[in-house]
Amino acid sequence: KAFLHHTVHLSCYFPNSQKIDAKNLIIFWQKDTNNPKVVHEVYYGQEKHDNLSPEYLNRTKVDMDKWTLQLLNAGVEDEGHYQCIILQKISEQSTELIHTSECSLHIIANYSQPEIAELHSGELKPNGYLNLSCSSSGGYPEPKEMTWLISYENITHSSTAHMDVSQDAVTKLYNVTSKLNIPVPTNSHTNISCLLHLREQLGSLVSVPLGI
């Protein structure tokens, strides 16, 4: 997992127990197996750019001591499956595959703190309805769900609400909104909060409570 716009470290997990000189190796990282894209290539000790996918040009650095690749400014489109492949030179004409390793990259972008807005106009009447929305924006991946918490006199009711989800066409980040329409609470002081449940064991975000 890596945060949006941060640097990702992709390891080859290559022990190099035989202490082979990089001048006798071809090392390359590729993304996705169905339609592979070359992310970085070190050809007998020299970095080679001929075969690189254009989106990775000037975005990678290699650390040959640790056998890791740094991918700069990670974006949502960098999510996917990566493979490190190492070939050893056997003769002038031939090479032998000596190591492969794989990893999957997941991008995380922080959602804004959920915010409650009052959609009704005018004063609340005892027999009227409370019309609220809760919104959070700029996050990734798509969240799991949004719930509303209604608390009074040490009792809390929780209800999962329909969540409208939209994805920005350019940034690929998600914005979410949920609405709550309930009779105006007639109990003593009532607090209403909304809770955004994130995926990938990322926990949840809670709004500032609205007091009625």
Side-chain angles (χ1 to χ4, degrees), residues 137-153:
S137 60
Y140 194 90
E142 190 175 342
K144 208 184 303 182
E145 62 184 18
M146 205 176 244
T147 55
W148 288 88
L149 304 175
I150 301 163
S151 307
Y152 54 88
E153 294 171 357

Side-chain angles (χ1 to χ4, degrees), residues 49-133:
H49 302 114
D50 313 6
N51 304 321
L52 290 193
S53 264
E55 61 264 46
Y56 295 108
L57 272 172
N58 304 318
R59 282 187 60 217
T60 54
K61 286 182 185 174
V62 70
D63 182 339
M64 292 304 294
D65 296 329
K66 296 180 181 167
W67 302 92
T68 58
L69 180 74
Q70 293 177 29
L71 177 58
L72 312 176
N73 192 23
V76 171
E77 63 283 353
D78 292 321
E79 274 203 325
H81 200 68
Y82 289 81
Q83 208 176 16
C84 168
I85 297 163
I86 301 180
L87 306 164
Q88 185 177 3
K89 186 178 187 178
I90 302 301
S91 67
E92 285 308 315
Q93 279 78 39
S94 64
T95 57
E96 179 188 18
L97 176 66
I98 58 166
H99 180 80
T100 62
S101 69
E102 299 180 7
C103 65
S104 290
L105 174 62
H106 299 279
I107 298 296
I108 300 163
N110 286 328
Y111 281 86
S112 62
Q113 182 181 16
E115 213 168 282
I116 295 177
E118 298 184 53
L119 302 177
H120 47 261
S121 55
E123 286 184 28
L124 292 174
K125 306 273 193 312
N127 57 354
Y129 273 81
L130 189 59
N131 196 358
L132 305 174
S133 77

Side-chain angles (χ1 to χ4, degrees), residues 148-160:
W148 288 88
L149 304 175
I150 301 163
S151 307
Y152 54 88
E153 294 171 357
N154 296 333
I155 302 166
T156 299
H157 292 287
S158 166
S159 69
T160 302

